[in-house]
Each structure stands twice: as structure tokens, then as C-alpha cells.
Amino acid sequence: MYKLVTIAFLLSLISCIKQRDEIDVTWNINLEKPVDKQIYISGNQPFLGNWSPKSILLEKNDSLHWSFTNTVSKNTLLEYKFTLGDWNFQAANENGIALENMEVITPKKDTIINVNIKNWTSGNQLQEQGQITGTVEYIKDFHIDGLKDRDIIIWLPPSYKTNQTKRYPVLYMHDGQNTIDPRTSSFGVDWQVDETVTNLIENKKLQEIIIVASYCTEDRNADYGDTKKGKLYRKSLAIDLKKYIDIKYRTKPQKQHTAIAGSSMGGLVSFMSAWEYPEVYKGAICMSPAFKYEDFDYINTITEDNKKDLILYIDNGGKGVDIILQPGVEKMEKELLKKGYKLNDDLFVVFNKKAKHSEGDWALRFPYAIELFFKK
């Protein structure tokens, strides 16, 4: 009987601790005018659909009022938008201009967030913000046992089709749907790596390179994290995908001609990929990398490692999610300096306090980063 009472007490205590660590967040959506479609919330957490535009459906209270409630850990940064099930139709101001990502750091008590939506973007507006420049090819449903199939987009440099003997360096990228084609990008705005690289090549500032960009899947957090599945994903890029690309395309397969790049969790996995496979990659471009956030701290896992023969570019902004990520960037910089890396030699760190956690801001920093690796 004593044991049962003790167990009951412990379970009750655990429940109380959980309740103190979590709160309920409710979004109340107030529309200017009714819509004939469903309304969804999309954001940076799994319960917000990991930025899927048609995953988390709101509850319709009446024609002008919708709502959504979820339990969230305290002090969690939530970044989110509202859509009609497609990024071409997202919450906008009275002029039809898409609203920027909304943000909130969850407080210590249950909270209600009221959002007024006056309009929605039109179906064609976002598609007009960019286009594919140059020649691209696709690998559909690239398969690796243990991972979800994913598409790969390959951008080919200007002379690739005409100079049949020339071989090219390769940049591998994550979140491929956001890198080149605005029609597949999460918010209709891509990194514009095709326009950037084309411009740099034409101005003789950059070598002609091939870009291989792997799309993410619904398992993005696991694939890009320090997990068992993440380890398999990094291996699949460094070995399986690279082997496929080196056979099918005229690449320069050596380490000094191969780099990897990504942002946010993609910035983290770019660092991990280069760190685990320094014989494959020259280095990594890590934009707004999620080295440390909430209870996760990747830097602690490499403290006992020796310096690797790599060039590392790390940057971050000063707004939104990047505020949460900045302590991790600073801690990683200190750790790498301790290992013997030298600033502006084999370690480059950039901070832009005006920049947000977005494709548009990463696109602005991309030219400087890519020149560090493939300058002509």
C-alpha cells in the first residue's frame, strides 16, 4: 500500500512539474471578410506543421472567427503564418502584401494571441518574385533505405552543355525547394542562388560550379538533427548522392572542389556533414545555424575533437529566431578558435543585426559566402 501511495505521489508530482513547464497558447483569428476555403497555421514547430502550408487546420467558430489551441513549453520562440492551404494564398495586409512571419516567445502563463487578417495574397503574386535562371535538371524521388524519398534539383553552369570536356566543382545544399525555384519555395521567395551564381560568373568573380540541392521532407528535423536518422542522411549525401552526381555529371570530385551549405537546421547539418566527412568536403556554409537552442547543444558533442581541415563560414542575423540562435553561434566560434581556427583565414563569422531568419536575408549574404569557397 505504501508503495502504491508513493508511486501515485510521484506521478502527481511529475504531472505538476509538467504543468508548470507548459502553457496553453490560443490563437484567435479575426477576418475582415469571410473566405470560402479552410484556414491553416504554419510555423517553426512540429505542432505548427514545420512550415507545411496545409497541415494544421484551424477551427472555424463562425464565418469571421477561427481559432487554434496547443500546449507549448514556456520560453519557446514561435514563428508562424496563416494560409488558405497554399503559400500562394497567405495572410496579407489591406493591399494584398503578404504579412511577415509573426513571432512570440511563450510566456509563463496561458496566453491568447489575437490576429486580425484583412486580406490574402493572390494566386500569382508570389510566383512573380523570381524565376529559374539557367538550366536545371531533377532527380525525382531519390531513394535511400531508412529515409523518405526526396527530389533533388541540379543547377548546371552556363558552359556545361557547350563545353563537353570541362569539369566543375560542386556545391551541395539542403532545403533544395527553397534555393532555386520560387514556385517550390516555402514562402514564394527562394535563395536566388541561380541568379547570384550566374551574376558572379558573368562578372568573373566565381568559378563555374554545379549546384546540387536536396529537398527536405516531413522528417526535416530528424534528418537535419543530431539523430540516428540524421547520421544516415549525412552519410547518404556524402557517399550515395555524391557518387550518383559524380557518375552522371562532369564534376571535379576531389575534396577541394566540394562544399556544402544550408540555413537554420540546414546550417547545422551542413556543419555536421563537413565535420564528419572532412575527406569529402572542403568546408561548409552555415547560415543562421541552429547549433544551440532550447535543450539542444551540438557544440558540446565536438569539444573533444581535434581541428579538421575545413573552411567554415558561419553567419547570423539579429531579429526573430536568430536572436535565439546567437548564443550558439558565439559558443561555436569560441570553440573553433580554441581548436586553432583563425578568423578570416579558415573561419569566417558574419553578424548582421538587421537581418531576419528568412530566405531573402540568406540570399543577401550568399554572394560573400560562396566566393570564399569558389572564387575565380
Side-chain angles (χ1 to χ4, degrees):
M1 180 68 178
Y2 173 77
K3 289 184 178 179
L4 291 175
V5 172
T6 302
I7 292 172
F9 172 75
L10 290 174
L11 289 175
S12 175
L13 180 61
I14 291 171
S15 176
C16 289
I17 292 172
K18 180 179 179 182
Q19 289 174 7
R20 286 200 299 269
D21 288 340
E22 295 181 335
I23 63 167
D24 285 337
V25 178
T26 298
W27 283 266
N28 286 332
I29 313 304
N30 307 305
L31 302 183
E32 186 92 349
K33 52 187 177 182
V35 293
D36 58 0
K37 296 182 179 181
Q38 302 284 3
I39 299 178
Y40 300 81
I41 188 170
S42 176
N44 65 331
Q45 301 290 335
F47 77 89
L48 294 175
N50 284 327
W51 292 117
S52 167
K54 194 177 182 179
S55 179
I56 309 300
L57 179 65
L58 303 188
E59 179 181 352
K60 184 177 181 179
N61 303 319
D62 57 49
S63 62
L64 294 177
H65 301 93
W66 300 63
S67 62
F68 173 69
T69 300
N70 207 85
T71 300
V72 187
S73 298
K74 296 176 183 177
N75 199 36
T76 299
L77 191 144
L78 305 179
E79 191 175 16
Y80 54 93
K81 285 194 169 197
F82 297 95
T83 80
L84 299 180
D86 186 314
W87 284 120
N88 286 314
F89 304 93
Q90 56 181 280
N93 63 20
E94 60 272 15
N95 298 317
I97 305 300
L99 301 178
E100 292 190 355
N101 293 0
M102 302 173 207
E103 300 166 354
V104 64
I105 296 178
T106 52
K108 296 181 179 179
K109 60 182 180 180
D110 293 350
T111 188
I112 295 175
I113 301 171
N114 291 302
V115 180
N116 298 318
I117 299 179
K118 296 185 176 182
N119 207 344
W120 302 88
T121 57
S122 64
N124 296 321
Q125 177 186 347
L126 297 179
Q127 294 183 13
E128 295 173 354
Q129 295 188 25
Q131 61 183 3
I132 294 179
T133 299
T135 301
V136 296
E137 296 182 357
Y138 293 88
I139 305 170
K140 292 293 185 180
D141 299 322
F142 186 76
H143 177 77
I144 295 294
D145 289 342
L147 298 174
K148 281 188 168 66
D149 293 354
R150 70 196 65 226
D151 292 346
I152 314 289
I153 184 170
I154 300 102
W155 184 86
L156 299 174
S159 71
Y160 190 87
K161 297 293 186 179
T162 57
N163 190 339
Q164 296 295 316
T165 61
K166 187 173 181 178
R167 307 187 77 84
Y168 303 85
V170 182
L171 175 68
Y172 289 87
M173 299 189 72
H174 310 282
D175 291 312
Q177 73 281 354
N178 295 336
T179 58
I180 294 171
D181 189 348
R183 293 170 298 179
T184 60
S185 182
S186 296
F187 311 116
V189 179
D190 63 333
W191 277 44
Q192 301 173 22
V193 297
D194 46 341
E195 287 91 350
T196 295
V197 170
T198 298
N199 180 64
L200 292 173
I201 290 171
E202 290 177 348
N203 286 281
K204 304 188 184 306
K205 293 182 178 181
L206 194 74
Q207 301 175 55
E208 289 194 80
I209 65 172
I210 294 172
I211 299 169
V212 179
S214 173
Y215 284 36
C216 74
T217 71
E218 294 175 356
D219 292 340
R220 182 178 186 270
N221 284 357
D223 288 347
Y224 291 6
D226 191 18
T227 65
K228 182 177 180 181
K229 184 168 284 190
K231 192 172 184 66
L232 178 58
Y233 172 74
R234 297 189 293 276
K235 178 175 179 286
S236 76
L237 285 177
I239 297 175
D240 302 291
L241 180 59
K242 186 175 186 303
K243 181 179 179 181
Y244 180 95
I245 295 297
D246 288 340
I247 291 174
K248 185 172 181 180
Y249 296 94
R250 298 192 310 277
T251 68
K252 291 182 177 180
Q254 299 87 353
K255 162 195 172 82
Q256 64 266 33
H257 303 299
T258 309
I260 191 164
S263 62
S264 194
M265 288 291 288
L268 168 66
V269 73
S270 294
F271 185 97
M272 289 193 290
S273 296
W275 198 257
E276 293 173 11
Y277 295 93
E279 73 282 2
V280 172
Y281 302 107
K282 177 180 182 178
I285 295 173
C286 312
M287 294 186 162
S288 302
F291 293 140
K292 182 179 184 298
Y293 61 95
E294 297 175 10
D295 296 327
F296 174 76
D297 190 338
Y298 174 71
I299 303 103
N300 289 341
T301 68
I302 67 166
T303 53
E304 301 302 320
D305 294 347
N306 294 323
K307 181 185 178 185
K308 308 284 180 82
D309 180 22
L310 295 168
I311 296 173
L312 298 169
Y313 169 90
I314 300 171
D315 71 21
N316 199 38
K319 294 185 177 181
V321 175
D322 282 7
I323 296 174
I324 301 296
L325 301 178
Q326 184 61 23
V329 169
E330 293 173 359
K331 184 176 179 180
M332 177 62 84
E333 179 183 356
K334 291 179 181 178
E335 181 62 34
L336 294 174
L337 291 173
K338 190 188 303 181
K339 292 183 186 301
Y341 286 90
K342 296 181 179 179
L343 286 173
N344 302 318
D345 180 15
D346 51 7
L347 174 62
F348 300 84
V349 181
V350 174
F351 175 70
N352 183 344
K353 66 179 181 180
K354 296 182 179 180
K356 303 186 297 295
H357 197 81
S358 71
E359 278 72 22
D361 287 279
W362 297 322
L364 293 175
R365 302 199 292 268
F366 184 72
Y368 172 72
I370 193 63
E371 281 191 67
L372 294 174
F373 290 84
F374 300 114
K375 188 174 182 178
K376 190 165 184 178

